[in-house]
Amino acid sequence: MNMIKRYSVHIFSLWIILFFSLSFSVSCTYDYFEDETNYVVYVPKANADLITDEYRIEDIHIYIYNAEMLERQRKASFPFQENTRMKFGNFNFRLFPVSYDAFCFANTEGIHFYDMASRKAGRFGLTESSGGEYHYPDSFASFSLEKLKPQINYPGPLEVDTAYFNKRYSGRICIAFKKIANLHSLLTYNNIKTVRIEATGVGTFQQMSLLNDSINTRSSSYTPSDKVIMELTPYQNPFGDFEFGIDGYFFPSLSDNRPISLRLDFLDNNGNFIYSFPVDIPKTLHMNETIYLGTDGLTAFILEINTPEQWNPEIVSGGDEGMGI
């Protein structure tokens, strides 16, 4: 009888040990996959200890893809006070151990994201205005992108990537003018208040599937007749003996290789039309690239600019930090 009791107590003890062992195992598994951070995107321009009026971002969108499907996403806006870690520029994620593609966007005001659950369907771009054309937002010059490729291992250390946001998504086109008064006597810097541009052959949205490096990324348009309207203010002495210049920001060149064409309408100080002529862009516009053109109103030609500072030092260069994302 005593032997039976001892045997029963022994069996009961084994069940207790097994129960706690299983509970501990489940708890560890749950903690790892559900509660613990194993990937961090660090953003210096969102770190409260580093940001200034000039060194900061206004918002951030992060999309992390496992192959083609969206695994995690995060959106936040300045001053990034959602939690203590975010306050210091850390955006934390829990990911299963595989490799990922992470796309981080900053300063996205006026840019709309659609169908981001998959890279194949996902896109971001402009919305059509009531007049049937498109307008780049004022913040488009600072719309920035970082592409990261985290590899999550288990067991393994915390994986941390840094998104510096010092490269633009957009490309920049600068145009310098000289001797265009030969076309019309009022085409001088003092008489021109605004240059209105109607751009065709330009992107109005970006497919995530075509978002690659700076050289190979190509944008798309909703229709072949899409046009983007912008108004630019001229400035004096952009380069060499050119009298005045303008610059604007555009989506990278289209995937169908259509050239960018600009129709320039010159308006006087009272908003009255003076003259118009076209400028065709003679090369592909890459992401985070600046194309410098000179024109006399009859022909346009590439200007050889060795450093951004050669182009009107009073004009911000716009962050030409080199190619690549």
Side-chain angles (χ1 to χ4, degrees), residues 3 81 95 114 133 138 141 143 145 196 214 232 237 283 302 308:
M3 289 182 63
Q81 300 290 324
L95 300 173
Y114 305 94
E133 71 273 353
D138 292 339
F143 176 51
L145 164 65
R196 183 180 184 272
S214 291
L232 303 176
N237 307 319
K283 62 175 294 188
I302 298 291

Side-chain angles (χ1 to χ4, degrees), residues 13 47 57 108 144 213 264 276 283 288:
S13 300
N47 185 339
I57 57 173
T108 67
S144 302
D213 56 41
L264 310 182
S276 177
K283 62 175 294 188
N288 192 50

